Amino acid sequence: MKKILSIEVPAEQSNLFIIRNFYTQSIRSGCAAISEADIAYMELAVNEFCENIIRHGYKGGPGTINIRIIADEDKIRTVITDSAKPYNILEYDPIDKEKLVEKGIKGRLGIRMIKTICDSIKYTRLNNKNKTVLTKNIRAQKET
Amino acid sequence: MAVTLGERKSGDVYVLQASGFIDTSTVSVVEEKITKLFAEGKYKLVVDLSGVEFVSSAGWGVFVAFLKKMRDKDGDLKLSGMIEKVAKVFTLMEFDSLMDAYADEDAAVKSFSR
């Protein structure tokens, strides 16, 4: 049975903790088959995406982030909507991990994490809003 | 709970015991501490994560950024005590091929003497 939950918060770094708590509780209760590993992965992916919106989209300025979770039996779709400048994650390549060490780069890991974790990512820009859908397919059995 | 840091010394190895969560809102605390230790010539560092429930890219990025710096000084930055959900991310993102991690801080400290 499909379950839909949503939250809208001001785009502030201090709210990432709230987003993570809401998100993990929602998908744990909304999708009985999801493993703790997948919960941890998606918590990270959503955190990274929202962090990008706050830092690079709104650049620390005012704005909101809306997160809608659509939990099906076989997948979790997370729809993230914001009014920041256009940002299509699909246009950015993830950084190679060896380069991180060699060059001592601190940033750009988030995109790599999101793209590694999510099974599909869709982006649309409509009415001056970014809408990104992160989809995670659910494995049939819980991991131990 | 944000992040708190404890510190202990074992021989020439320093252990940073972190608790809470490390994300973009708290990472500066960790980064400033490691920067300070590095500036003081403490190049053998264990970051114990047994009390850390979440690490974002901001936190992983700081650990990775200091790896080469420490190794260039014949030291290293090693992790210990990751809880399962943090360890899962560590493995998924293949950080295990970049840096050493141990079950507990004693094992991590001992690894410096091998």
Side-chain angles (χ1 to χ4, degrees), chain B residues 2-98:
Chain B
V3 68
T4 56
L5 296 176
E7 186 182 344
R8 79 174 177 95
K9 186 172 181 280
S10 178
D12 60 349
V13 181
Y14 280 78
V15 180
L16 209 54
Q17 297 155 318
S19 297
F21 59 83
I22 304 173
D23 69 2
T24 190
S25 69
T26 63
V27 71
S28 62
V29 175
V30 179
E31 185 172 16
E32 284 168 14
K33 186 67 184 175
I34 298 177
T35 300
K36 182 173 178 287
L37 291 171
F38 185 81
E40 292 170 350
K42 295 162 184 168
Y43 305 131
K44 294 180 181 177
L45 180 65
V46 172
V47 181
D48 184 71
L49 296 173
S50 55
V52 173
E53 63 183 41
F54 179 82
V55 183
S56 79
S57 67
W60 295 117
V62 167
F63 299 149
V64 170
F66 272 96
L67 263 185
K68 188 168 186 298
K69 288 182 181 179
M70 299 285 191
R71 289 173 180 172
D72 284 348
K73 300 286 188 182
D74 293 325
D76 206 345
L77 187 155
K78 305 186 181 196
L79 303 177
S80 68
M82 283 183 277
I83 64 169
E84 188 176 349
K85 64 177 272 194
V86 175
K88 293 251 186 211
V89 170
F90 181 77
T91 305
L92 179 77
M93 298 311 301
E94 299 176 336
F95 293 136
D96 53 348
S97 68
L98 302 177

Side-chain angles (χ1 to χ4, degrees), chain A residues 93-109:
Chain A
D93 291 326
I95 190 165
D96 183 77
K97 71 176 191 297
E98 275 75 22
K99 281 186 183 170
L100 290 171
V101 177
E102 189 57 35
K103 296 180 184 293
I105 295 170
K106 285 186 294 182
R108 297 177 58 193
L109 261 174

